Amino acid sequence: MKARVHITLKSGVLDPQGKAIEHSLADLGFAGVGDVRQGKYIELDLTETDPEKARADVTAMCEKLLANTVIENYVIDLDA
Amino acid sequence: MKARVHITLKSGVLDPQGKAIEHSLADLGFAGVGDVRQGKYIELDLTETDPEKARADVTAMCEKLLANTVIENYVIDLDA
């Protein structure tokens, strides 16, 4: 089973990487680009086949290692 | 219109960040985790409303700035 995790900064948390991209795009001549936010995307191969148990495992991984839950949100998607 | 871009390393390109996550998860006692790959996830707010033009713009942004197309793939999703 494959898990895909999106980790994004909570709204209201300053995102310097996103701002840097925004300014670079403007410098390159791309008009009409508003807010840019950058997050992380992690793909994990799991041997677990039960979706409920896999989701519980990945949630624990996010809480303990992958995300800083003070400033970041995470979303977990599971593929069969 | 909102664009969501996933940038991932091409298969075969070594992913040290993914490997570090893999080992840290094993150290934390998470069994059953196979390959881990880390990519980037970028959300852009666009003033462009025509989906075709927006996709062309974001493709140009990926080619010129967001992705290193020698070693990275990108996927663009557009929201109305």
Side-chain angles (χ1 to χ4, degrees):
Chain A
M1 175 166 282
K2 199 155 196 154
R4 296 163 205 279
V5 181
H6 286 89
I7 298 165
T8 51
L9 284 168
K10 290 184 181 179
S11 60
V13 177
L14 192 69
D15 179 0
Q17 276 186 302
K19 283 283 164 228
I21 294 172
E22 205 177 309
H23 293 140
S24 299
L25 287 173
D27 290 347
L28 285 172
F30 291 104
V33 181
D35 200 33
V36 179
R37 307 279 287 175
Q38 175 164 354
K40 281 177 279 187
Y41 171 63
I42 300 172
E43 289 181 347
L44 304 113
D45 281 329
L46 305 173
T47 53
E48 182 61 57
T49 51
D50 175 23
E52 236 167 273
K53 201 155 176 311
R55 184 171 293 273
D57 284 352
V58 179
T59 302
M61 292 174 202
C62 286
E63 294 284 337
K64 284 197 189 153
L65 179 73
L66 303 179
N68 175 353
T69 55
V70 176
I71 55 166
E72 291 172 327
N73 291 320
Y74 58 86
V75 177
I76 299 166
D77 297 301
L78 293 175
D79 278 6
Chain B
M1 178 165 283
K2 198 154 199 157
R4 295 163 207 277
V5 182
H6 286 90
I7 299 165
T8 49
L9 285 169
K10 291 184 180 177
S11 60
V13 177
L14 192 71
D15 178 0
Q17 277 187 300
K19 282 283 164 229
I21 294 172
E22 207 176 306
H23 294 141
S24 299
L25 287 174
D27 290 347
L28 285 171
F30 290 104
V33 180
D35 201 32
V36 179
R37 306 280 289 176
Q38 174 163 355
K40 282 178 276 187
Y41 170 64
I42 300 172
E43 289 181 346
L44 303 113
D45 281 328
L46 305 172
T47 54
E48 182 61 57
T49 51
D50 175 23
E52 235 167 275
K53 206 163 172 308
R55 184 171 293 272
D57 284 352
V58 178
T59 302
M61 292 175 203
C62 286
E63 293 284 336
K64 284 196 190 157
L65 179 73
L66 303 179
N68 176 353
T69 54
V70 177
I71 54 166
E72 292 173 326
N73 291 320
Y74 58 87
V75 177
I76 299 167
D77 296 300
L78 293 173
D79 279 4

